Amino acid sequence: MLKPGDIVLTSDSGKTSRLVRKATSGAVSHAMVCVQNGSVIDSTDFGVQAHNIQRELYNDADLLLVYRLRDPIDALHMTAVIELARSEIGTRYSKLEAARSILPGPKPRDRKMFCSRLVARAYAYAGVRLVTDPDYCTPDDLRNSPLLVPVADMSESVSERELAAWRRRPNPIAAMQESQNAVLTAARQLDPAVENFNDLDAMVQAHPEWDADIARAYRESGYLEIWKSDFVINPWHYDPDAMEEAGKGAVQGDSLHSYCVSTIREAQSGGFRYAVNLTHYRAAFDTSKRETTGQLVALYERLVWNDQMRRETALTWLRRHFPEDAKNELERILPHSQLWFSMVDRVEPRLGAIARLSIQSLGSDEICSSCGEPADDYRLVNGAEAMPGVPSLRLCSDCLGIRRGGGEVLEPFDD
């Protein structure tokens, strides 16, 4: 199974692949980075986009290689790799910049992307220099990086029947790519310097006169309603009873079990980006009541809620049918760990500040996040309503009672 941070390198018999391999004297012509179970990001002629790796099909004659760090980095640094890759979604592709990787002459290091630059820059952002120059490298430079090792048996054969079934399934990721491109195209008509959605957010704040146009582009592109497609395609993702029925029908046995396990393995980190974006847009809306920003607040409130429902549904099914897997595979981010603080600081900075003061005052991190008393660890089950993005809390019995009285659903780590 692909892990976040895995680098996928490919080549095929197409003209572009052949030209790239000839120009670079390499075995591979394209690079992607895995950012989540089933999801990779790459840079092509269509710009930087996310893909469902399960829809990536290769012929027997194609080359598909997966590489992983020889010396793994911690979750905090891997998060930085993934966040950099995601932040570049929408950034335009530059064939000229790709060519400069092997050509002599000036290297302007502009903001546009190509596949190996995206992967190398993502790792460089986390302090891992895979190649000599992350701005100008080739897919084969990545393949030959001394920091990477190959991972075997990362592909599987599919039958014609399975291929036909995949072709019949709607592809919401393709719809998302189309809507993203439509929004960015509209933005670039107003400001050609916009590369990605971070640029677009800044533009909306700096130019209120363009707010209505951008808000309209978001609506007309369908960007704000892409989330509805999964409720139509896979209603069982969000309802335990529907998942029980799915287990008796089209989604059976190993496939449902595998889906649920992979879903709860990312129970806290998998949807964290939604909480971060929600926090960002709420703060921006408080500062200036832009129509565009208000739409995005509503969108990310919905996405945070959807993510919580999907992961809790998977956990409920596993607890009914595979309780040991539910217990052993559920992601638990330890309160007061470095990763916990890195998450809390971005979505609930006051909580992080209070916890740090208590830890510093008492000289121990084995204390309540709120008051400093002896405490136990709890998973925040309904974080979407209570504190989006906060994965867990370390609480004494008094603070636990107060928080539960306020509506928070807190589950002991041992459950």
Side-chain angles (χ1 to χ4, degrees):
M1 179 183 294
L2 278 181
K3 294 182 178 181
D6 282 355
I7 297 170
V8 183
L9 303 173
T10 65
S11 67
D12 56 48
S13 59
K15 180 179 178 181
T16 299
S17 178
R18 294 199 310 270
L19 287 173
V20 171
R21 284 181 280 130
K22 182 177 180 180
T24 62
S25 301
V28 291
S29 57
H30 189 57
M32 300 173 270
V33 61
C34 178
V35 295
Q36 193 173 351
N37 176 53
S39 181
V40 296
I41 292 179
D42 66 359
S43 177
T44 68
D45 288 347
F46 301 102
V48 178
Q49 295 181 332
H51 302 271
N52 182 344
I53 193 63
Q54 293 176 323
R55 288 182 179 267
E56 302 291 326
L57 301 175
Y58 300 90
N59 297 318
D60 290 340
D62 298 338
L63 185 62
L64 186 150
L65 305 173
V66 176
Y67 282 78
R68 190 171 290 166
L69 285 176
R70 184 184 302 274
D71 299 315
I73 53 178
D74 60 32
L76 186 61
H77 287 85
M78 185 55 71
T79 297
V81 173
I82 293 166
E83 288 189 350
L84 188 283
R86 282 195 167 123
S87 74
E88 295 290 352
I89 286 178
T91 298
R92 287 170 286 192
Y93 177 82
S94 174
K95 188 176 293 185
L96 177 58
E97 282 292 274
R100 284 188 172 121
S101 294
I102 58 170
L103 294 175
K107 298 187 185 297
R109 302 178 191 274
D110 69 15
R111 297 182 58 217
K112 291 185 172 64
M113 281 290 173
F114 53 92
C115 66
S116 43
R117 171 184 280 182
L118 173 68
V119 174
R121 276 188 179 177
Y123 269 94
Y125 181 71
V128 180
R129 206 173 186 87
L130 296 177
V131 293
T132 303
D133 187 347
D135 288 338
Y136 293 98
C137 59
T138 70
D140 224 59
D141 290 334
L142 293 171
R143 184 177 69 89
N144 291 316
S145 171
L147 303 186
L148 299 174
V149 293
V151 184
D153 301 323
M154 296 300 285
S155 62
E156 60 182 49
S157 299
V158 292
S159 66
E160 286 299 325
R161 180 179 179 182
E162 289 172 312
L163 284 176
W166 268 109
R167 292 188 184 107
R168 289 194 299 270
R169 289 171 61 86
N171 188 353
I173 292 182
M176 174 58 78
Q177 291 171 353
E178 291 176 6
S179 65
Q180 288 170 340
N181 288 337
V183 172
L184 289 171
T185 297
R188 288 165 185 157
Q189 290 173 353
L190 299 170
D191 182 355
V194 168
E195 285 296 342
N196 51 47
F197 285 90
N198 290 338
D199 294 346
L200 178 54
D201 291 343
M203 187 187 84
V204 168
Q205 295 304 310
H207 293 278
E209 70 274 17
W210 294 339
D211 179 33
D213 292 329
I214 299 302
R216 187 182 311 111
Y218 270 110
R219 291 193 302 272
E220 293 179 351
S221 71
Y223 184 97
L224 303 174
E225 297 189 339
I226 293 293
W227 62 268
K228 293 181 179 179
S229 62
D230 198 48
F231 279 79
V232 175
I233 301 166
N234 302 305
W236 52 273
H237 281 178
Y238 306 93
D239 184 314
D241 293 334
M243 185 170 280
E244 289 293 337
E245 290 302 311
K248 302 172 185 176
V251 184
Q252 296 181 355
D254 290 344
S255 60
L256 180 54
H257 176 254
S258 177
Y259 162 80
C260 289
V261 167
S262 64
T263 298
I264 69 166
R265 281 175 177 166
E266 300 176 333
Q268 306 300 332
S269 60
F272 181 65
R273 66 191 187 279
Y274 300 136
V276 170
N277 286 341
L278 175 58
T279 302
H280 165 74
Y281 288 121
R282 279 176 171 172
F285 190 71
D286 287 343
T287 300
S288 54
K289 309 295 186 197
R290 302 283 190 267
E291 181 184 5
T292 299
T293 311
Q295 290 179 164
L296 292 170
V297 168
L299 171 63
Y300 280 98
E301 286 175 344
R302 182 76 233 193
L303 293 178
V304 167
W305 173 256
N306 291 355
D307 187 72
Q308 176 180 284
M309 284 196 296
R310 190 170 72 87
R311 298 184 192 281
E312 290 302 316
T313 297
L315 180 59
T316 297
W317 188 86
L318 284 172
R319 282 176 169 169
R320 289 175 180 173
H321 301 280
F322 298 91
E324 286 301 307
D325 283 346
K327 181 178 181 179
N328 295 330
E329 301 291 349
L330 178 63
E331 182 183 36
R332 296 177 176 88
I333 293 176
L334 192 67
H336 303 171
S337 63
Q338 187 180 27
L339 179 59
W340 184 87
F341 274 114
S342 74
M343 297 173 74
V344 168
D345 287 345
R346 299 180 68 180
V347 293
E348 288 286 343
R350 291 181 62 187
L351 173 63
I354 291 170
R356 282 191 177 92
L357 284 173
S358 296
I359 291 169
Q360 184 177 15
S361 175
L362 296 173
S364 171
D365 62 3
E366 300 293 327
I367 55 172
C368 178
S369 300
S370 299
C371 71
E373 292 295 317
D376 296 308
D377 295 338
Y378 298 87
R379 185 175 73 93
L380 185 56
V381 177
N382 65 333
E385 311 103 285
M387 291 189 294
V390 174
S392 57
L393 292 166
R394 186 164 286 167
L395 298 170
C396 66
S397 57
D398 288 343
C399 290
L400 174 64
I402 292 170
R403 285 183 174 273
R404 281 178 168 167
E408 293 181 13
V409 179
L410 291 152
E411 178 182 89
F413 261 22
D414 290 338
D415 283 6

